[in-house]
């Protein structure tokens, strides 16, 4: 079962998704191999690829997903099907950056598919937001959204500066 979380309400604000999103979507197919998807990521200098099956987005895979799959891979030719996340988080093209950050925090993701009506038209990443806003306080605010508890009641950041 694919879970698709969307927040499309046309909220106005200073910074809009349509102003900063990447309009070129690099995607792959459900039958693609880990090797092919990794090569696509390297070629395009990206760490996130939406996955399609029969012209419909059915999941996403990140560079982190690929790294975590290594212990269970039989071959680099294994299909990405077993390693994708089926929880696709999307946002409307006319939403604000504030709304995007709330969605990213709620679902613990750093990239959102951007929708206009029923069409996926782009990708918005945390890096896009940080580069566009140039707000130093935003990094610390966003990092605080991604903190989790470990078993010893101390905080461990899930987001680090290297991947922002």
């Amino acid at each position: 079962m694919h879970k698709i979380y969307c927040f499309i309400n046309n909220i106005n604000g200073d910074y809009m998704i349509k102003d900063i999103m990447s309009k070129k979507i690099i995607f792959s197919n459900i039958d693609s191999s880990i090797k092919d998807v990794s090569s696509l990521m390297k070629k395009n200098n990206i760490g996130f690829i939406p996955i399609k099956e029969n012209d419909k987005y059915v999941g996403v895979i990140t560079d982190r997903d690929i790294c975590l799959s290594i212990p269970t891979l039989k071959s680099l030719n294994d299909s990405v099907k077993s390693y994708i996340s089926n929880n696709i988080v999307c946002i409307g093209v006319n939403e604000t950056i504030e709304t995007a950050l709330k969605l990213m925090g709620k679902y613990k993701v750093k990239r959102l598919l951007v929708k206009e009506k029923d069409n996926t038209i782009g990708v918005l990443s945390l890096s896009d937001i940080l580069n566009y806003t140039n707000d130093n306080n935003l990094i610390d605010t966003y990092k605080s959204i991604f903190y989790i508890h470990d078993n010893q009641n101390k905080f461990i950041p899930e987001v680090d500066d290297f991947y922002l």
Side-chain angles (χ1 to χ4, degrees), residues 37-51:
V37 170
S38 297
S39 296
L40 194 58
M41 286 181 178
K42 181 178 180 182
K43 177 183 175 188
N44 292 283
N45 195 28
I46 56 176
F48 168 89
I49 297 196
I51 303 296

Side-chain angles (χ1 to χ4, degrees), residues 111-128:
R111 300 163 188 100
L112 305 170
L113 290 182
V114 180
K115 306 273 282 185
E116 185 170 48
K117 297 182 182 175
D118 290 333
N119 298 319
T120 302
I121 61 166
V123 175
L124 177 73
S125 71
L126 178 58
S127 295
D128 294 333

